[in-house]
Amino acid sequence: MLPTILDLASLQSAYAAGLSPLDLVEQLIARRRAADDPAIFITQTPDDDLRAAARDLMARAPGPNSLPLWGIPFAVKDNIDVAGLPTTAACPAFAYRPEQDATVVARLTTAGALVIGKTNLDQFATGLNGTRSPHGAPRSVFDRNYVSGGSSSGSAVAVASGLASFALGTDTAGSGRVPAAFNNLVGIKPTPGLVPNVGVVPACRSVDVVTVFAATVGDGVAIRKVMEGYDAADPFSRKAVPASLPASGLRIGVLDGAEREFFGNKDVEGLYDAAIERARALGATIVPFDYAPFRQAAELLYNGPWVAERLAAVKEFLATNAGDFDPTVRTIIEGAKAYDAVAAFEGRYKLEALRQKTRQEWQKADILMLPTSPTTYTVEQMMADPIVKNGHFGRYTNFVNLLDCAAIAVPAGFDADGHLPAGVTLIGPAFSDDALAPLADAMHRTLNMGMGKDRAAVIPEVSHVPQADDRSVPIAVVGAHLTGMPLNYELTAGGGRLVKTCRTAGDYRLFVLPNTAPPKPGLVRQPGYQGKGLEVEVWALAPEAFGRFVQNIPGPLGIGKLVLDDGSSVSGFICEAYAVDGAHEITELGGWRHYMRMKTETEEKDRG
């Protein structure tokens, strides 16, 4: 039986245990038929074609997980070409049937992924709310009265509903981020030019980006890495030079004063403040910054000459088929006729002047953390005031591509009633995509609010998140230094940053060390022992902080090389063997956290 949310680790484990892609396809076909939102897809891959794709994969790569995305199902926003399925951009009269896949789709299927269908969107990717489609409005997976976010609406709902492991969206103004926030997902928004746009119907060609909706940051990063890479056929494709971020003492810019606008939504404002505190607890330095020049840049996207790029994308079709457009989309695109070439240059000059002002703010912070959307609305509210309320969603997203930034949107929790989710977005300079991932992953994991519609889902310990910056020193902790444990402050006070949660190799054993305060475990390696591995956290410390930390470790504990379950090695806590003679062994519990939880429960029962 498949899990509710189809994260990569869960599916790859199921394949290793004997599930076949054909088995998966049959269960997905049943899920699609049972889905209660008829607006998710515009075109589904026919059942028999999906079965045939699974068989072809098994013939091409017979071994389970023999390709990076072997048998992983994904959905594609219907402004991205998939050979054999129509591309409509949510306008039936515009439809055409491509003969070849978009570059990103071709790279994903070559890696073993299976396309399950084309998803609904705000027509011609014009909107952030998901209601501008003749195929209906996909709804939030938590309340059908509420919008799902757009324009990549169907893609987000497909993942959050458990119909796909991941889905492709596009992002011009925030379409790869807002739907993630409204559906408790991760949204990976690459730096413009990192991922090719060949085979994508453009919205604003100069700033469009193909994005990934995923259950976890690690999944999204792994998928992005399959898609990325220079493509000479795309005039905006770039060869990336990865940007780094400080290994410790990361400065995060947050909203301050009059720039904190939530349109009356106190729940989202509270969740934003809670995310700030969570980042602080992870070792970040929180600094206020002036959002005004970023906001002014954001306003250019829809209230400036960049709207003319939307007209450039469809001008011939609009000239003959104006009546086939969604009325709101048509109003926006026809607004481009108010701009001429002079206005385009004036807009460019204004953007560059604002870019200079934002550089002053970037001197204060290494990255920014903003609300993904300051509020949300019901479908009825959005339809009653579609342009103004859609604009509210883009307040903190519209500038990101114009100013050449990378971004990762992560969940931030649910409102006071536990009803609707919100999110925050980490934003960094161009090509900081990998560097943003460790903090984004830690923010998601420490939230502990599940994945997609499954709020009880546990983020898998297996992570595809890139390692911390090479200038930092990774260290694995197993006991009292874990997140939430009494000595964790020794890591955060030294500027430490949580990189990932994972497990040791199977030949480690864990014991309770007697007479330690606070209680501590002893981790001992025993070659030949066949266990399931033990939970550890990998943290990153600056070299000088690492040195100070190690100096304070009391015997019989020390630092040695730990082998992790993926075969890699990392410095971490080990214990001298003599100290565990006669000690209570807790290996079977899987880690110190589980032991401490059981110990606390036992003590409470005894007191009761």
Side-chain angles (χ1 to χ4, degrees):
M1 189 70 177
L2 294 176
T4 301
I5 301 301
L6 305 175
D7 63 276
L8 296 191
S10 295
L11 273 192
Q12 288 167 343
S13 294
Y15 283 141
L19 182 78
S20 76
L22 195 56
D23 297 331
L24 172 111
V25 161
E26 293 299 339
Q27 293 189 55
L28 283 184
I29 289 171
R31 280 194 183 186
R32 289 195 313 194
R33 290 172 179 164
D36 62 358
D37 190 338
I40 297 174
F41 292 97
I42 292 178
T43 304
Q44 296 185 21
T45 303
D47 294 354
D48 286 342
D49 289 356
L50 198 49
R51 294 181 180 109
R55 293 190 188 98
D56 289 346
L57 173 65
M58 294 164 68
R60 173 166 63 100
N65 301 320
S66 54
L67 293 171
L69 298 176
W70 193 82
I72 303 297
F74 75 109
V76 180
K77 185 176 180 179
D78 196 20
N79 62 340
I80 302 173
D81 288 347
V82 174
L85 297 178
T87 300
T88 75
C91 181
F94 178 78
Y96 63 93
R97 190 173 291 268
E99 295 183 358
Q100 61 185 30
D101 292 332
T103 299
V104 291
V105 173
R107 290 175 177 177
L108 291 165
T109 56
T110 299
L114 303 172
V115 177
I116 66 165
K118 304 291 292 294
T119 53
N120 203 356
L121 66 150
D122 282 323
Q123 191 179 73
F124 293 110
T126 301
L128 283 173
N129 64 84
T131 68
R132 301 172 180 174
S133 170
H135 303 281
R139 309 302 177 101
S140 162
V141 295
F142 299 101
D143 188 330
R144 290 183 54 79
N145 292 315
Y146 281 81
V147 298
S148 60
S151 60
S152 310
S153 51
S155 288
V157 176
V159 178
S161 300
L163 300 177
S165 291
F166 69 94
L168 302 186
T170 60
D171 188 310
T172 304
S175 300
R177 293 164 275 159
V178 171
F182 291 173
N183 291 279
N184 199 32
L185 293 174
V186 169
I188 303 289
K189 203 285 311 168
T191 299
L194 180 63
V195 173
N197 286 334
V198 175
V200 179
V201 177
C204 293
R205 189 184 297 269
S206 67
V207 291
D208 289 343
V209 177
V210 176
T211 66
V212 181
F213 294 101
T216 72
V217 174
D219 284 6
V221 169
I223 293 150
R224 189 210 76 221
K225 285 181 173 295
V226 173
M227 298 194 306
E228 70 184 35
Y230 179 73
D231 184 347
D234 176 2
F236 291 97
S237 183
R238 296 192 285 174
K239 295 181 179 179
V241 179
S244 62
L245 293 170
S248 62
L250 187 72
R251 300 170 303 161
I252 298 182
V254 300
L255 295 172
D256 189 42
E259 292 298 331
R260 290 174 61 95
E261 175 60 77
F262 294 87
F263 302 101
N265 195 321
K266 295 297 184 183
D267 283 321
V268 175
E269 183 173 15
L271 292 171
Y272 178 61
D273 289 336
I276 292 172
E277 292 309 309
R278 202 158 58 254
R280 196 193 309 274
L282 288 168
T285 299
I286 304 300
V287 295
F289 78 103
D290 182 8
Y291 182 67
F294 297 87
R295 173 176 49 78
Q296 291 161 9
E299 291 167 356
L300 291 174
L301 195 61
Y302 277 102
N303 297 311
W306 273 266
V307 74
E309 267 202 290
R310 295 185 183 272
L311 177 59
V314 295
K315 63 180 180 180
E316 294 180 1
F317 183 73
L318 179 65
T320 57
N321 294 76
D324 292 311
F325 279 69
D326 173 270
T328 303
V329 172
R330 178 179 173 182
T331 296
I332 292 168
I333 293 178
E334 288 187 334
K337 296 176 181 178
Y339 299 97
D340 58 14
V342 172
F345 279 103
E346 290 174 342
R348 175 65 185 275
Y349 303 153
K350 185 173 182 180
L351 177 62
E352 294 309 312
L354 290 168
R355 193 190 307 273
Q356 293 286 22
K357 291 182 178 180
T358 64
R359 287 186 176 123
Q360 298 174 25
E361 299 307 308
W362 280 113
Q363 296 299 311
K364 303 174 184 176
D366 302 304
I367 67 172
L368 309 179
M369 185 168 72
L370 298 174
T372 303
S373 175
T375 191
T376 188
Y377 295 110
T378 65
V379 171
E380 184 178 2
Q381 289 170 325
M382 181 59 63
M383 298 293 282
D385 194 6
I387 292 180
V388 171
K389 285 187 164 48
N390 185 91
H392 292 174
F393 290 173
R395 182 179 179 91
Y396 299 117
T397 59
N398 287 0
F399 76 88
V400 176
N401 287 343
L402 285 174
L403 294 181
D404 199 26
C405 297
I408 299 179
V410 294
F414 288 78
D415 59 22
D417 296 329
H419 183 209
L420 295 172
V424 294
T425 300
L426 303 180
I427 301 164
F431 302 120
S432 62
D433 305 76
D434 280 350
L436 287 171
L439 178 61
D441 183 58
M443 291 287 290
H444 190 197
R445 289 177 184 277
T446 54
L447 180 67
N448 196 29
M449 290 288 181
M451 303 177 287
K453 71 177 182 180
D454 187 354
R455 302 190 201 187
V458 177
I459 297 175
E461 294 172 353
V462 175
S463 173
H464 303 279
V465 174
Q467 293 294 315
D469 188 282
D470 289 340
R471 293 172 297 177
S472 67
V473 180
I475 181 170
V477 298
V478 68
H481 288 92
L482 293 168
T483 300
M485 295 294 172
L487 296 183
N488 183 249
Y489 76 92
E490 292 183 356
L491 291 168
T492 58
R497 184 176 74 248
L498 179 63
V499 175
K500 64 178 180 178
T501 300
C502 54
R503 301 185 79 81
T504 67
D507 55 354
Y508 285 88
R509 299 171 68 183
L510 194 65
F511 299 84
V512 180
L513 294 179
N515 304 316
T516 55
K520 299 181 183 70
L523 182 69
V524 177
R525 190 177 191 188
Q526 181 180 321
Y529 179 78
Q530 296 183 349
K532 296 180 180 180
L534 296 154
E535 179 189 5
V536 296
E537 289 180 352
V538 178
W539 285 71
L541 289 168
E544 60 276 14
F546 178 84
R548 290 192 298 269
F549 181 80
V550 171
Q551 284 179 342
N552 293 324
I553 296 173
L557 301 176
I559 297 296
K561 285 296 182 184
L562 298 187
V563 179
L564 303 181
D565 58 353
D566 62 1
S568 63
S569 296
V570 64
S571 297
F573 276 85
I574 57 173
C575 181
E576 294 185 70
Y578 79 86
V580 301
D581 285 344
H584 175 46
E585 183 171 2
I586 57 171
T587 304
E588 65 179 10
L589 298 180
W592 186 247
R593 197 185 304 278
H594 191 189
Y595 166 74
M596 289 300 294
R597 184 164 53 245
M598 291 181 61
K599 181 174 182 289
T600 300
E601 291 172 354
T602 300
E603 291 172 348
E604 289 176 349
K605 287 181 180 178
D606 291 343
R607 286 195 298 269

